[in-house]
Amino acid sequence: MKRNLLALAAIVMAVIFSSFTIKPLQTVYFVYDGSGNQADLANYQSPAPTSYPGTVAGSSTLAWFRGDVADPGDIQLAEFDASFDAIDNQMGGTIAGTLDDETEDGIVLEKQ
Amino acid sequence: MKKSTTLEVIASLLIFFFAYTALSSYYNMASLRNLLAFYTAHTTQVAWLMVATEVALALLLLFRKTRLVGLVASLCLLLYAGSFWFEYRSYPHDFGGVFNELSYKQQLTLLSILLLLSVTGIVLHLLKAKPNTNAKAVTVSY
């Protein structure tokens, strides 16, 4: 027992730290269909389609962005808007209503 | 620092990483399933498999008798994860734990560090287990 003290301490630390990561909302990914207004929920698919084609490096059109919602089966417009506005003009972009001008992050948004 | 102490520290760091990722994934299982929709149609099964694998790895690393197996298994898992990162570069990689807070490059850096820790751990474990060939043979006669 004493010999495993450090390893046991690692587990205790993991339990303590992970208790702070419990999120009240679910993370979802809004996959843009490639056309239409980017600020409109109707132009996105969520959950992601498994036939998602992927992105092309160096291109500039929005592929997906990450958001938080209470129920992914019933995404509210306000939840979508909050997720969209949290990125729009916050990552180097200056044009409102589009994420094409934002800096690609990979964890928050990706382009295709 | 002694080899055994270094090995203890490496194992503890890996245990912390896997246990933290497993717990974080378990607490946010629904989010993990949403992410896995990019990769598979069997999101629930794969999500549970990921959590179970991480718990198993943490347990293997916890006990000295199974530590080498745990280190080799972590190396295999991390190599697999690394190839996954490159193959699906444009997909999200929020597989739980620390990864959810890091950018793509930071995730790759963390993976590299963990890979290095696993390899160092395996080497140290093998060096530690190597019998001392310089020891003189002792003959016991009755």
Side-chain angles (χ1 to χ4, degrees), chain A residues 21 27 29 55 64 66 107, chain B residues 20 31 34 90-91 94 100 102:
Chain A
T21 67
T27 300
Y29 301 87
T55 60
W64 57 260
R66 195 171 77 172
I107 188 169
Chain B
Y20 177 68
S31 297
N34 294 335
S90 56
Y91 285 22
D94 309 339
N100 291 10
L102 302 177

Side-chain angles (χ1 to χ4, degrees), chain A residues 51-65:
Chain A
S51 59
Y52 177 66
T55 60
V56 181
S59 53
S60 59
T61 309
L62 175 69
W64 57 260
F65 74 91

Side-chain angles (χ1 to χ4, degrees), chain A residues 52-84:
Chain A
Y52 177 66
T55 60
V56 181
S59 53
S60 59
T61 309
L62 175 69
W64 57 260
F65 74 91
R66 195 171 77 172
D68 294 310
V69 300
D71 177 9
D74 182 26
I75 297 171
Q76 303 298 310
L77 200 58
E79 292 174 325
F80 171 83
D81 288 342
S83 298
F84 189 91

Side-chain angles (χ1 to χ4, degrees), chain B residues 77-141:
Chain B
L77 184 76
L78 292 165
L79 282 173
Y80 178 68
S83 66
F84 214 71
W85 250 255
F86 282 109
E87 193 176 350
Y88 299 101
R89 186 244 171 271
S90 56
Y91 285 22
H93 306 108
D94 309 339
F95 292 110
V98 189
F99 283 122
N100 291 10
E101 314 301 329
L102 302 177
S103 70
Y104 179 76
K105 281 183 182 171
Q106 289 169 333
Q107 288 173 341
L108 280 180
T109 308
L110 177 64
L111 264 180
S112 308
I113 292 168
L114 293 170
L115 265 171
L116 197 67
L117 284 177
S118 299
V119 172
T120 312
I122 291 168
V123 171
L124 285 176
H125 202 289
L126 292 175
L127 283 176
K128 208 180 83 172
K130 200 177 174 183
N132 188 355
T133 50
N134 294 329
K136 288 179 183 170
V138 178
T139 311
V140 180
S141 54

